[in-house]
Amino acid sequence: MNDSSSHEMPAAEALGRAGRMSELARGGTRWFGYMLVVLGCVTAGFFVGQALTEGWTAAALAWLYAACIAGLFWYVNRQRVVGRDMSTITRTVAVSYVALVVIVSVVNSTWLNDGSLWPCLVALLPALPCWLAAWRVLVR
């Protein structure tokens, strides 16, 4: 009986292939970082738009924001490759994002509805967790 196999490869070649596969898998998880950048931009754009517009334009922005969020959820559910730390990042970002969206919505609609630039500056707050998490995902 012969113990050798025709499928054996040198150790250096096997390590090289494993490294390339690891790099491909890591590159396949970068979509999450890009999605977080887009979510932050959409959120900031929505809140700035809400602060600067009224009436049907503000309503159209709200529907557009909802459509973008639904599209991002659809995109996330279509992805097959996820990073090891994605669940931890997702949980942290989701809780802070939702909390900041609620806080900014309440503050902008009650205290800062005087037409000043403060609502535009406060509008950037919900986007910060998204952008920080995207930086973490894309830099590693």
Side-chain angles (χ1 to χ4, degrees):
M1 188 173 214
N2 187 359
D3 287 333
S4 67
S5 172
S6 63
H7 299 291
E8 290 182 16
M9 68 177 70
E13 184 180 348
L15 284 174
R17 283 189 181 188
R20 284 190 298 277
M21 292 304 292
S22 175
E23 189 62 33
L24 281 172
R26 206 172 309 119
T29 62
R30 295 179 68 80
W31 66 266
F32 183 58
Y34 297 130
M35 187 272 308
L36 288 170
V37 169
V38 170
L39 178 60
C41 291
V42 165
T43 302
F46 166 70
F47 279 109
V48 168
Q50 287 293 308
L52 298 177
T53 61
E54 294 178 348
W56 69 269
T57 309
L61 281 173
W63 281 105
L64 185 62
Y65 174 66
C68 287
I69 297 295
L72 287 173
F73 274 116
W74 175 81
Y75 177 74
V76 166
N77 287 325
R78 303 274 304 162
Q79 301 306 309
R80 297 184 189 269
V81 178
V82 295
R84 283 180 286 192
D85 56 350
M86 184 176 154
S87 63
T88 305
I89 293 172
T90 301
R91 199 170 319 119
T92 305
V93 169
V95 168
S96 58
Y97 177 79
V98 169
L100 286 170
V101 163
V102 169
I103 290 168
V104 167
S105 296
V106 169
V107 167
N108 279 353
S109 65
T110 57
W111 292 319
L112 298 177
N113 60 356
D114 58 355
S116 66
L117 286 179
W118 281 108
C120 294
L121 294 174
V122 172
L124 298 176
L125 289 177
L128 289 179
C130 300
W131 291 334
L132 290 172
W135 176 77
R136 180 177 172 194
V137 168
L138 295 173
V139 167
R140 70 173 166 92

